[in-house]
């Protein structure tokens, strides 16, 4: 998550949790997830790992405080976190720019190119880059 609202901290990440796992992951899908072998393993991860409960509590606090969550494909993210966010607190670019003529949702990468004629997500996935892109 990145901050919105203008000012010096606009677009600066403030929540980017890596959640530890004890079960093996069959396919990290690094190109799409940005996760590498060992990133979610205690003792080998270069990141500070959080438990799912800690990550959930952070998100729950933001929702309970009335924060507006901006992103792309939020429905899936909220389902994975097992959290209900009121529709009034969601700004989902996947929903906002959904074409009634097309069943398939429009990719964040295409939306950014269409509006700004710039390329994003050229390498492997970055949650921070996605958050900053959706915010624009």
């Amino acid at each position: 998550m990145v901050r919105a609202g203008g000012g010096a901290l606009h677009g600066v990440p403030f929540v980017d949790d890596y959640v530890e796992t004890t079960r093996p992951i069959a396919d990290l899908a690094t190109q799409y997830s940005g996760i590498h072998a060992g990133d979610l393993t205690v003792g080998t991860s270069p990141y500070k790992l959080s438990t799912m409960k800690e990550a959930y509590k952070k998100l729950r606090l933001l929702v309970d405080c009335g924060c507006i969550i901006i992103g792309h494909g939020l429905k899936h993210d909220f389902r994975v976190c097992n959290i209900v966010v009121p529709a009034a607190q969601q700004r989902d670019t996947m929903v906002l720019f959904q074409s009634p003529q097309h069943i398939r949702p429009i990719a964040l990468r295409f939306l950014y190119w269409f509006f700004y004629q710039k390329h994003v997500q050229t390498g492997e996935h970055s949650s921070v880059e996605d958050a900053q892109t959706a915010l624009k």
Side-chain angles (χ1 to χ4, degrees):
M1 291 188 171
V2 295
R3 295 177 195 274
L9 296 178
H10 182 81
V12 175
F14 71 100
V15 176
D16 188 28
D17 286 0
Y18 284 76
V19 178
E20 66 184 54
T21 181
T22 54
R23 293 183 278 166
I25 299 172
D27 181 9
L28 294 171
T30 300
Q31 177 185 0
Y32 305 105
S33 69
I35 303 294
H36 296 271
D39 282 356
L40 305 178
T41 307
V42 176
T44 62
S45 178
Y47 308 103
K48 180 199 175 296
L49 297 177
S50 300
T51 65
M52 188 61 166
K53 184 176 182 177
E54 291 169 334
Y56 173 86
K57 287 170 88 174
K58 287 179 190 177
L59 185 55
R60 179 84 263 157
L61 176 66
L62 293 170
V63 171
D64 290 347
C65 288
C67 291
I68 305 293
I69 310 294
I70 303 168
H72 192 79
L74 293 175
K75 180 180 177 180
H76 175 263
D77 295 339
F78 295 148
R79 189 176 339 122
V80 168
C81 294
N82 195 27
I83 194 167
V84 175
V85 179
Q89 287 179 248
Q90 297 181 41
R91 304 295 183 272
D92 191 337
T93 55
M94 185 179 284
V95 174
L96 292 171
F97 294 99
Q98 179 64 47
S99 169
Q101 291 87 11
H102 301 94
I103 296 171
R104 186 175 176 180
I106 298 173
L108 182 60
R109 178 188 319 201
F110 175 78
L111 285 172
Y112 194 76
W113 173 84
F114 182 80
F115 287 107
Y116 299 102
Q117 285 73 50
K118 295 180 182 176
H119 295 280
V120 293
Q121 301 174 327
T122 55
E124 63 188 36
H125 179 264
S126 165
S127 57
V128 172
E129 181 182 32
D130 281 1
Q132 292 168 332
T133 301
L135 182 58
K136 292 180 180 182

